[in-house]
Amino acid sequence: MNAPDDRTADLGFARVDVERAARTGDPEVIFGAGKTPEQIASILRTLHERHPERAVLATRLSPEAMTAAAAVGAEVHPVARAATLGPLPTPRGVVGIVSAGTSDAPVAAEAALSVAVHGAAPLEIRDVGVAGLHRLLAVRDTLDEVDVLIVVAGMEGALPSVVGGLVGTPLIAVPTSVGYGASFGGLAALLGMLNSCAPGITVVNIDNGYGAGVAAARICRVGQRGASSLAPPLPSQPRGNTP
């Protein structure tokens, strides 16, 4: 048997990490795949009791799990296949979620919801894939106005490279499993993003909107702190050929 530990809540089927918010700034998130609706509802309720001031997130929920989450008071987000219980934090910074097509909507919605739960404001820019490049160019100015970009695309995964060539904003690329046979369930998009010639692009795993959302919100959080007073000033650079 495990010794009692006030850092966890032992529900029998799971040992819930109730100290994560104190360590990382964010409560534990429930990955719904493989869990029963009853288990998801129980974990949601437990985490909410420990963090009533902060939204708790459950992702990758089946329709039955969403019904069970709603029964304990959670707000259901069908497109994102997720649920939240508790109030969203005050946002710090803005994250643009750029998606290539309507088929990418579930992953993009998961990213947007994860951004909001982890403390930044999501701004969704939908259906601007490279097959109609004029759609992306029409929102060019908006891409420069956000603090971080999440770019979601399937097929060949070209959209992050194009966006990365237009702006210098921190960019997190999310490959999706959208595409025909040779896309290999998102592997083609993943490799295309990893091999992008546009600099400054970070890539998460296939369909991992949640991971991209957390990373983007944390970048905003750190950016809002301002420059550290511990950082030494940069040395002045001599001009010309002065010895």
Side-chain angles (χ1 to χ4, degrees), residues 41 44-45 48 51-52 54-58 69 72-75 83-87:
L44 266 172
R45 189 167 48 237
H48 179 62
H51 310 290
R54 180 77 183 272
V56 177
L57 172 65
V72 297
E75 181 179 357
T84 54
L85 182 57

Side-chain angles (χ1 to χ4, degrees), residues 4-9 16-20 23 50:
D5 184 350
D6 59 7
R7 296 171 297 181
T8 62
V16 182
D17 182 358
V18 296
E19 196 190 44
R20 189 171 302 180
R23 296 195 315 270
R50 298 298 184 103

Side-chain angles (χ1 to χ4, degrees), residues 82-100:
T84 54
L85 182 57
L88 295 174
T90 301
R92 292 182 286 179
V94 179
V95 177
I97 297 93
V98 182
S99 53

Side-chain angles (χ1 to χ4, degrees), residues 16-118:
V16 182
D17 182 358
V18 296
E19 196 190 44
R20 189 171 302 180
R23 296 195 315 270
T24 70
D26 302 303
E28 182 175 7
V29 170
I30 304 159
F31 180 63
K35 297 180 177 67
T36 68
E38 295 75 20
Q39 288 172 338
I40 291 167
S42 180
I43 298 172
L44 266 172
R45 189 167 48 237
T46 298
L47 286 170
H48 179 62
E49 289 170 355
R50 298 298 184 103
H51 310 290
E53 78 293 343
R54 180 77 183 272
V56 177
L57 172 65
T59 68
R60 299 303 168 94
L61 301 184
S62 65
E64 296 77 14
M66 284 189 270
T67 299
V72 297
E75 181 179 357
V76 172
H77 307 267
V79 177
R81 302 166 294 181
T84 54
L85 182 57
L88 295 174
T90 301
R92 292 182 286 179
V94 179
V95 177
I97 297 93
V98 182
S99 53
T102 307
S103 296
D104 301 307
V107 177
E110 181 182 86
L113 182 61
S114 300
V115 164
V117 168
H118 289 82

Side-chain angles (χ1 to χ4, degrees), residues 140-151 160-172 198-202 219:
R140 167 68 179 79
D141 291 343
T142 304
L143 302 178
D144 269 328
E145 294 169 357
V146 300
D147 300 294
V148 184
L149 285 165
I150 294 173
V151 182
S161 292
V162 176
V163 175
L166 292 174
V167 299
T169 307
L171 194 160
I172 302 168
I201 294 178
T202 299
I219 291 170

